[in-house]
Amino acid sequence: MKEYESFERVGVEPHRSYYIPFAENDEVKTRYGIVDRTKSSRFTSLDGVWQIKRHENVEQADINETLTQTIPVPSCVQLHGFDQIQYINSRYPFPVLLPHIPYDNPCWHYRRQFTLSKKAGEKYYLNFEGVDSAFYLYINGTYKGYSQISHATSEFDVTDLVVNGENTVDVVVLKWCISSYLECQDKFRFSGIFRNVYLLTRPENHITDYRIITGFSGADGVLTFINESKVDIRLVFNRKKAFVKAGKRVELCVKNAQKWTAETPKLYTLEIYAEGEKIIEKVGFREVSIDGKVFKLNGEAIKLKGVNRHDFNCKTGATVTVKNLVEDLKLMKFLNVNAVRTSHYPNMPEFYQLCDRFGIYVMDECDLESHGSCACEGGYSLQPWQRYADNMIFSDGILDRDKALVERDKNRPCVLIWSLGNESSFGKAFIAGAKYVKKRDRTRPVHYENIVVADKKYYFTKYVDMWSRMYASLETIRDTVLNNPKETRPFVLCEYTHAMGNSCGDIAAYWDCIYNNEQCMGGFVWEWADHAIKTKDGFKYGGDFGETEHDGNFCCDGLVSTDRKIKSAALEMKAVYGGKTKSEKKAVSIAEIKQNTQKEVAIAVDERTGALTSITVDGTEILRSDLHVNFTRYIDNDRLDVERWNTVCNYNGSKSYALSCKKLENGYAFECAIASNTREPVIRYNVAYKVEKGALIVETDYECADYAGVPPRFGLEFAVDKKYAEFSYVGFGPTESYIDKNVACEYDYYESNAESNYDKNYVRPQESGSHYATEYVNIKDLLTVTAESPFSFSINPYTTAQLRDTLHAYELPRSEIVNVCLDLAMRGIGSHSCGPALDAKYAIPKKAKNVFKLTF
């Protein structure tokens, strides 16, 4: 069998905890608050410019061939022109030939040279922290080994192959291997040496591994250090010294130890010495427990205010820097985030050290997802998923992934929970790995959501310590958890309130439930940041790179933009995670509106459509587009409703027809219908335009047809000259607000302008900038809008049609107008792009009316 069709790793050292040894006399420096490993004399980075050559399959690669092109390492080959960029969610991007891999399997031959002063009595270990998906390693032309598991460190003892002087490293990276059947995560599918490469120089006999376990005895912190190496170790901790023989353990006590929490991430320094080396560890005293239905840290119930996070950068893909990590964590802390699920693989090692420092709880997830099995028979079925989970061909691969997860990160205080993976069902192939995790670490509980779709016999499996769901509705949570006497485990939402586009309208409702039920541990928003590639045109997503199989902009589903700009969903989360779940209206004084009765207002109408085609004030035209009714919008959360709207209702293909027109003494009154070919009207409405001195009254009411349901909005839309961009209002602000998304807002008086009102951070343009429950709008130097009932409005540089029909933000035209929407009713936002359907109470009413007054 070919190596890449087996889960065996060849010539690789056993998985161990992450650490970087220093020479005993090295000065240990920090960067970003964590140990700067580059200052160790025993650490040699092999990052930099490597040679590279692409082949269509591994059999074409020749270890002695000439390589004429170059690539930076670490990086993703797709972003340097060596392969097709592809975003795909839950399908395998290759023919499913399990256990085989297609012959047409691109590979990349990497090479670099380095100089070594080889010394007797020293050993040399070559480390690759991340290579997707598998690779062969050659040192000075001699085969050393083969490894896989993309997000795991592969360490090779190359002592016998390196020489004093110049050495050559050749690495042949495969795009796919058998592990690819277990690495079908929702992300851009990048390949190559995407994490750091370095050489460690070690003594002949050296530390290999150790365990750090913390607990409490009363107010005192107890550190248990277990020496899992074959050498004796000296410790210095809290001004105390200890000696630990090989294979033994020691306990060290700190009187009145300060507990490590997200709010108080106190770290103590532990120095570890052996054979001329020293290792610096940071220790946080904390104890994780489950008390009946309640998840606790240090004996106190906590709530996980979390996000799901990928390692991703809009310019470098899966290759991220420590600086990128720090920027993310600082932004998370600003947004009241206290927990991260590393979806769906272990993040780079420094991430955990930074979480220790910043105070971020981590649900550390195994590099495991077999989602593509659901689609391998054409549709979407759970049966193949279960077959894969029960297929023992995967058992060794899953076990090795679980080992990689636990062994590397076992000493990190921030890691509170192990997660066995994502969306892979659960079956016989999981058992060995799950047993390993439970036996190896009894100090942390284990999470795994996908038992929910597995064989029912696994529902209460002993290998999982909490009940987890993704995108469950509140009704489902109450029925299956809170009101279910059989469910005695803590409950967590590992994914919820899918943050795609203008989203997270349901986050406050979720947290009303979470805050008020001790069984609820919290939740992790999907997801932290958009995934989109920055190009000279702008940000691009699936399908923009010529790929055949893709999932469009489903990767643009973050609380913050791909370049880490804050969106309104992030602010809504910040408010809710800060403890607020409701915003109230309050009395706000409004300046007296003085109607200038000397202004002569005149109007013209289209008697076929009922639209207002002209408004002149003292002979000057106000409109830059007709004032017409508006009943459509696009947001990503409506995407699952759009099919019904377009097939049953055909909203986008519908037009307004005036069924009658009545000339009034001071205006016009219309009876209208909105309809399309082959269908009866979906909406009937009345609109009357009445002119006063210095003002225009617009009276309108609507009623939706029974067969059509209700549209996403109903209101008025018109455009004015772009010089009228500044406006003020009384309503929920300053950010966009909707009936279900206004907790981040306060009801008050605000000033803004059209350019800043529209959120340009949506990669796929969509409805934005609406303000809920508005009572007053003033467009500077033009007009003031009031109404008999509160309304929603937006003033943007783009029309509804432009936002609905444009696929990329960079394709929006340069605006020459200011577009005004006055909505009688605006549908809520929800999170239905992947989450539950919008609560019916947030839909627009079947019928409604309002009277707007435009005072010039």
Side-chain angles (χ1 to χ4, degrees):
M1 179 180 287
K2 304 179 183 72
E3 292 93 344
Y4 56 83
E5 292 182 349
S6 162
F7 285 108
E8 184 180 4
R9 301 194 309 152
V10 180
V12 186
E13 295 297 295
H15 299 294
R16 63 166 174 86
S17 57
Y18 170 74
Y19 60 81
I20 297 296
F22 285 68
E24 193 164 331
N25 59 353
D26 283 345
E27 180 183 358
V28 179
K29 296 184 178 182
T30 61
R31 189 165 183 243
Y32 300 114
I34 62 174
V35 170
D36 183 355
R37 65 188 189 179
T38 66
K39 302 305 181 184
S40 168
S41 62
R42 295 188 175 275
F43 176 95
T44 303
S45 173
L46 295 187
D47 295 345
V49 177
W50 290 49
Q51 297 166 288
I52 192 171
K53 184 175 183 179
R54 184 186 192 275
H55 295 288
E56 293 306 313
N57 59 70
V58 69
E59 293 179 9
Q60 294 178 356
D62 181 351
I63 202 65
N64 298 311
E65 65 189 343
T66 300
L67 310 184
T68 59
Q69 294 178 289
T70 61
I71 190 172
V73 170
S75 68
C76 303
V77 297
Q78 287 81 5
L79 297 178
H80 292 271
F82 292 103
D83 195 39
Q84 171 73 63
I85 297 174
Q86 182 181 31
Y87 163 66
I88 193 168
N89 174 12
S90 55
R91 292 172 288 165
Y92 291 125
F94 50 83
V96 181
L97 308 173
L98 184 71
H100 305 292
I101 292 296
Y103 175 76
D104 298 318
N105 182 14
C107 73
W108 299 272
H109 181 179
Y110 289 77
R111 179 183 295 148
R112 76 155 289 166
Q113 287 77 35
F114 69 94
T115 301
L116 177 68
S117 296
K118 189 174 182 180
K119 298 177 182 177
E122 289 189 335
K123 303 196 76 172
Y124 301 92
Y125 294 89
L126 187 55
N127 281 258
F128 296 82
E129 289 189 335
V131 181
D132 196 325
S133 69
F135 65 103
Y136 295 91
L137 174 64
Y138 296 80
I139 304 295
N140 296 321
T142 300
Y143 172 67
K144 171 56 189 175
Y146 166 86
S147 191
Q148 56 191 314
I149 309 179
S150 295
H151 298 87
T153 298
S154 299
E155 184 173 44
F156 298 86
D157 181 351
V158 296
T159 306
D160 293 341
L161 298 180
V162 293
V163 298
N164 187 49
E166 186 173 271
N167 292 267
T168 299
V169 179
D170 285 276
V171 181
V172 179
V173 177
L174 282 67
K175 184 171 185 177
W176 300 309
C177 67
I178 194 169
S179 283
S180 301
Y181 288 105
L182 298 179
E183 295 179 2
C184 189
Q185 292 100 339
D186 175 11
K187 61 185 177 68
F188 277 92
R189 305 303 175 94
F190 292 120
S191 312
I193 305 174
F194 69 95
R195 286 182 180 167
N196 303 112
V197 184
Y198 52 86
L199 186 74
L200 294 179
T201 302
R202 311 290 307 270
E204 183 74 31
N205 299 302
H206 57 80
I207 296 168
T208 51
D209 211 353
Y210 50 86
R211 289 281 321 266
I212 298 171
I213 301 172
T214 62
F216 297 96
S217 177
D220 300 336
V222 179
L223 165 64
T224 301
F225 183 91
I226 305 171
N227 182 357
E228 297 182 342
S229 307
K230 294 181 179 179
V231 296
D232 298 338
I233 290 175
R234 292 180 293 113
L235 303 177
V236 177
F237 183 67
N238 200 37
R239 298 186 299 275
K240 296 179 181 177
K241 297 181 179 180
F243 182 79
V244 195
K245 294 186 70 66
K248 301 299 181 180
R249 67 175 61 200
V250 68
E251 286 189 354
L252 300 171
C253 183
V254 175
K255 293 291 185 181
N256 297 310
Q258 186 172 339
K259 297 175 181 178
W260 185 92
T261 69
E263 295 74 31
T264 58
K266 170 66 177 177
L267 295 172
Y268 295 81
T269 300
L270 171 65
E271 301 172 43
I272 306 169
Y273 295 90
E275 303 293 327
E277 283 188 328
K278 66 180 173 186
I279 297 168
I280 304 300
E281 283 282 5
K282 293 296 183 178
V283 176
F285 284 101
R286 93 288 179 275
E287 199 168 52
V288 184
S289 62
I290 291 176
D291 183 1
K293 297 181 179 182
V294 183
F295 179 77
K296 292 184 175 182
L297 180 68
N298 304 329
E300 301 289 334
I302 63 169
K303 300 294 187 185
L304 301 177
K305 300 173 180 180
V307 295
N308 284 272
R309 180 189 175 276
H310 278 281
D311 277 341
F312 184 81
N313 179 291
C314 62
K315 296 179 181 178
T316 58
T319 299
V320 297
T321 64
V322 175
K323 181 181 179 182
N324 295 151
L325 301 179
V326 171
E327 290 168 349
D328 271 0
L329 292 172
K330 286 183 176 180
L331 195 51
M332 288 178 189
K333 295 297 280 190
F334 169 74
L335 294 170
N336 292 326
V337 170
N338 72 2
V340 169
R341 177 182 177 224
T342 63
S343 52
H344 299 292
Y345 45 80
N347 288 184
M348 59 188 290
E350 295 95 329
F351 177 75
Y352 302 84
Q353 294 179 319
L354 290 166
C355 288
D356 291 344
R357 175 183 173 245
F358 279 95
I360 294 287
Y361 305 132
V362 175
M363 177 185 282
D364 202 5
E365 189 148 277
C366 182
D367 192 357
L368 173 61
E369 181 169 342
S370 64
H371 210 155
S373 60
C374 293
C376 68
E377 294 179 348
Y380 189 91
S381 171
L382 300 182
Q383 292 178 345
W385 226 354
Q386 187 64 58
R387 288 204 305 270
Y388 274 48
D390 284 327
N391 190 337
M392 293 303 289
I393 195 173
F394 291 119
S395 180
D396 288 346
I398 294 173
L399 171 60
D400 202 18
R401 287 159 192 278
D402 287 326
K403 287 182 178 179
L405 169 76
V406 173
E407 296 303 337
R408 194 195 72 171
D409 299 334
K410 59 183 175 287
N411 293 326
R412 299 275 52 88
C414 64
V415 177
L416 304 191
I417 302 167
W418 300 119
S419 179
L420 298 180
N422 185 64
E423 293 180 316
S424 302
S425 191
F426 189 88
K428 291 184 290 186
F430 279 74
I431 301 302
K435 283 183 176 179
Y436 181 89
V437 175
K438 296 294 285 186
K439 182 177 180 180
R440 179 65 168 137
D441 184 9
R442 302 181 187 278
T443 70
R444 296 178 176 95
V446 175
H447 163 273
Y448 187 64
E449 184 271 345
N450 228 214
I451 56 174
V452 70
V453 301
D455 189 308
K456 296 302 180 187
K457 66 185 179 182
Y458 296 117
Y459 188 94
F460 288 107
T461 176
K462 62 184 178 181
Y463 303 115
V464 176
D465 298 303
M466 59 197 68
W467 184 233
S468 175
R469 291 296 305 271
M470 52 177 68
Y471 311 113
S473 68
L474 286 169
E475 181 181 12
T476 298
I477 294 170
R478 293 186 187 103
D479 289 346
T480 62
V481 181
L482 302 178
N483 298 329
N484 180 4
K486 295 181 179 180
E487 186 50 79
T488 60
R489 297 168 290 185
F491 173 71
V492 65
L493 284 160
C494 67
E495 296 176 23
Y496 79 114
T497 194
H498 196 257
M500 187 176 181
N502 189 347
S503 189
C504 299
D506 52 8
I507 190 170
Y510 274 114
W511 277 83
D512 263 337
C513 176
I514 293 168
Y515 282 134
N516 290 297
N517 288 277
E518 66 175 7
Q519 191 172 4
C520 295
M521 297 167 55
F524 298 84
V525 176
W526 186 268
E527 64 173 308
W528 169 239
D530 287 341
H531 296 215
I533 305 299
K534 189 171 186 178
T535 70
K536 60 181 177 60
D537 296 322
F539 292 114
K540 294 187 176 182
Y541 47 74
D544 290 338
F545 305 97
E547 67 268 49
T548 303
E549 294 86 22
H550 64 85
D551 284 295
N553 71 316
F554 200 63
C555 53
C556 300
D557 52 4
L559 291 157
V560 297
S561 67
T562 189
D563 57 348
R564 276 32 179 195
K565 301 293 194 304
I566 293 176
K567 295 187 280 185
S568 62
L571 295 176
E572 191 78 353
M573 178 195 70
K574 178 184 180 181
V576 171
Y577 280 4
K580 181 183 177 187
T581 59
K582 191 175 183 180
S583 282
E584 300 283 359
K585 285 186 67 174
K586 65 180 182 181
V588 178
S589 59
I590 301 173
E592 182 183 356
I593 302 168
K594 296 181 179 180
Q595 186 169 334
N596 187 343
T597 57
Q598 301 304 309
K599 294 282 185 182
E600 290 293 335
V601 179
I603 62 173
V605 297
D606 184 337
E607 295 187 7
R608 298 169 302 171
T609 65
L612 195 58
T613 59
S614 174
I615 304 175
T616 59
V617 178
D618 289 343
T620 300
E621 180 60 56
I622 298 299
L623 295 181
R624 292 295 178 268
S625 73
D626 292 353
L627 187 157
H628 56 275
V629 296
N630 183 24
F631 51 93
T632 68
R633 74 175 188 188
Y634 175 84
I635 63 169
D636 291 318
N637 280 324
D638 289 344
R639 70 190 191 97
L640 299 178
D641 298 287
V642 165
E643 182 177 359
R644 179 181 64 81
W645 291 345
N646 286 343
T647 56
V648 177
C649 309
N650 195 18
Y651 287 139
N652 288 354
S654 295
K655 296 180 180 180
S656 182
Y657 297 91
L659 306 181
S660 69
C661 174
K662 182 179 180 181
K663 183 71 172 69
L664 306 176
E665 181 180 348
N666 59 343
Y668 301 86
F670 290 92
E671 179 187 351
C672 300
I674 296 169
S676 65
N677 291 347
T678 76
R679 292 169 177 80
E680 291 186 346
V682 289
I683 305 170
R684 294 181 184 273
Y685 69 94
N686 299 298
V687 62
Y689 310 106
K690 300 176 181 180
V691 173
E692 295 182 356
K693 289 287 187 179
L696 173 66
I697 308 297
V698 183
E699 301 177 358
T700 185
D701 64 79
Y702 73 88
E703 184 169 2
C704 302
D706 290 336
Y707 85 87
V710 294
R713 74 191 317 164
F714 188 89
L716 308 173
E717 180 177 24
F718 61 94
V720 297
D721 192 274
K722 66 178 182 180
K723 68 183 179 182
Y724 299 115
E726 295 183 39
F727 64 92
S728 57
Y729 65 98
V730 171
F732 282 105
T735 188
E736 57 194 12
S737 57
Y738 299 83
I739 187 172
D740 63 343
K741 182 182 175 182
N742 53 64
V743 177
C745 301
E746 297 293 340
Y747 195 82
D748 213 331
Y749 170 84
Y750 297 96
E751 296 178 354
S752 187
N753 64 76
E755 284 293 329
S756 61
N757 190 59
Y758 176 73
D759 192 338
K760 296 180 176 61
N761 293 312
Y762 296 130
V763 177
R764 199 287 190 200
Q766 53 201 280
E767 155 62 36
S768 173
S770 187
H771 297 280
Y772 171 63
T774 300
E775 295 183 349
Y776 162 93
V777 180
N778 174 258
I779 301 177
K780 187 177 181 181
D781 299 328
L782 182 63
L783 61 85
T784 297
V785 181
T786 54
E788 287 187 356
S789 302
F791 57 96
S792 292
F793 87 96
S794 63
I795 296 178
N796 290 329
Y798 310 110
T799 67
T800 296
Q802 287 173 327
L803 297 179
R804 184 189 66 214
D805 300 334
T806 305
L807 297 180
H808 301 86
Y810 63 81
E811 294 172 328
L812 284 168
R814 181 180 178 86
S815 179
E816 298 299 326
I817 55 94
V818 167
N819 196 70
V820 182
C821 291
L822 305 174
D823 290 302
L824 283 72
M826 170 70 83
R827 175 182 165 95
I829 294 298
S831 64
H832 192 36
S833 53
C834 192
L838 184 74
D839 193 313
K841 66 184 179 183
Y842 298 130
I844 75 167
K846 183 181 178 183
K847 58 182 179 180
K849 64 180 180 179
N850 209 344
V851 178
F852 294 97
K853 184 174 184 179
L854 284 62
T855 304
F856 300 96

